[in-house]
Amino acid sequence: MNKQQKNKALFLDRDGVVNVDHGYVYQSDKFEFIDGVFSTCKTFYDAGYKIIIVTNQSGIGRGYYSEADFLALTQWMKDQFSAHSIEVTDVYFCPHHPKKAHPEYLKECSCRKPAPGMLLQGIEDHHIDPACSIMVGDKLSDMQAAKKAGITTRVLVRSGQSFDENAKQEADLIIDSISSLSALLNT
C-alpha cells in the first residue's frame, strides 16, 4: 500500500494574527488586516504550506453575532486572501464558552483553545504532519493548543497582546510582527 505524503501547514489564530483584534469582529468594514499578513502567507503558501485558520469565536455563543454572520465574514476574508493569490485551505472556529454563553453554546468542549480540537481536526482533514507545521498565535492558549496537537514550531506574535512568562515559555519563537515569520523558511 502506498503511503500518502503528508502536508505541512501554517496554522494561524485569527484575531490578533490575521486581523487587528478590535474585539468580537464580525463585519468586513470593521475587519482590519495586520500589516504583512498577505506577503507572509504568500511566502509560506508558495513554499507548499496549507494555510489553516483556527479561531475561538465566543461572540457567537454570547449572542453578539450569529454563525451566519461569522461565515459571511469568513468567506469575505478568504476572498481577500484569494485576491493575493493565496488559498486558505480551511477555517475552523469554536463558538463555545464554558461560562458566558447562551445555553446551546455553554459548555466545556474539545475545540476551544487551549484545547487542541480545531488543530487536530485540521491535521486529520488535510493530512497534515504536525512535526513539519507551524502555529502562530498571540496568546498562551494558542501555544498550549499547538503543543497538545503535537505542532513542534509554536510562534507567539506581539500584535497588541501582552503576555506573561508562561506564554513565552510555551513558544519556540517570539516575534514582533507576522512579517518576521518568513525568516523561519530560511533556517
Side-chain angles (χ1 to χ4, degrees):
M1 187 165 166
N2 201 2
K3 224 180 159 184
Q4 185 182 358
Q5 177 77 24
K6 286 197 168 191
N7 297 306
K8 53 192 174 184
L10 178 63
F11 289 97
L12 302 169
D13 175 43
R14 196 191 79 175
D15 301 319
V17 176
V18 172
N19 60 287
V20 176
D21 189 352
H22 293 303
Y24 305 109
V25 176
Y26 66 96
Q27 297 162 309
S28 61
D29 63 340
K30 305 270 193 292
F31 196 95
E32 180 185 351
F33 285 99
I34 298 250
D35 288 340
V37 73
F38 292 123
S39 58
T40 299
C41 287
K42 179 74 170 134
T43 300
F44 279 87
Y45 181 72
D46 289 348
Y49 283 79
K50 303 276 184 193
I51 307 296
I52 300 175
I53 297 172
V54 289
T55 178
N56 287 349
Q57 290 293 318
S58 70
I60 295 168
R62 295 169 193 250
Y64 299 160
Y65 49 92
S66 68
E67 285 193 40
D69 292 332
F70 172 79
L71 295 172
L73 177 64
T74 297
Q75 186 56 58
W76 175 86
M77 177 190 71
K78 289 171 75 174
D79 291 345
Q80 305 314 301
F81 275 93
S82 293
H84 288 85
S85 304
I86 305 159
E87 179 193 345
V88 173
T89 301
D90 221 328
V91 177
Y92 296 93
F93 71 99
C94 172
H96 310 117
H97 195 278
K99 295 183 175 118
K100 299 174 184 168
H102 291 281
E104 65 270 29
Y105 297 108
L106 185 66
K107 66 178 188 173
E108 290 281 346
C109 61
S110 62
C111 52
R112 182 175 172 78
K113 295 177 286 179
M118 291 185 284
L119 293 159
L120 294 172
Q121 191 65 55
I123 288 166
E124 182 181 325
D125 290 349
H126 301 288
H127 204 61
I128 303 296
D129 182 351
C132 298
S133 297
I134 300 166
M135 172 69 197
V136 182
D138 66 335
K139 294 182 180 75
L140 173 61
S141 59
D142 297 318
M143 301 300 100
Q144 292 170 322
K147 186 175 187 177
K148 291 173 191 168
I151 296 172
T152 53
T153 305
R154 298 178 298 278
V155 180
L156 200 54
V157 66
R158 290 183 177 101
S159 303
Q161 291 287 333
S162 59
F163 19 82
D164 62 14
E165 279 309 308
N166 291 338
K168 292 176 184 174
Q169 288 173 5
E170 292 294 326
D172 296 300
L173 180 65
I174 300 170
I175 58 177
D176 289 329
S177 161
I178 195 161
S179 321
S180 308
L181 192 63
S182 299
L184 273 181
L185 289 176
N186 303 323
T187 57

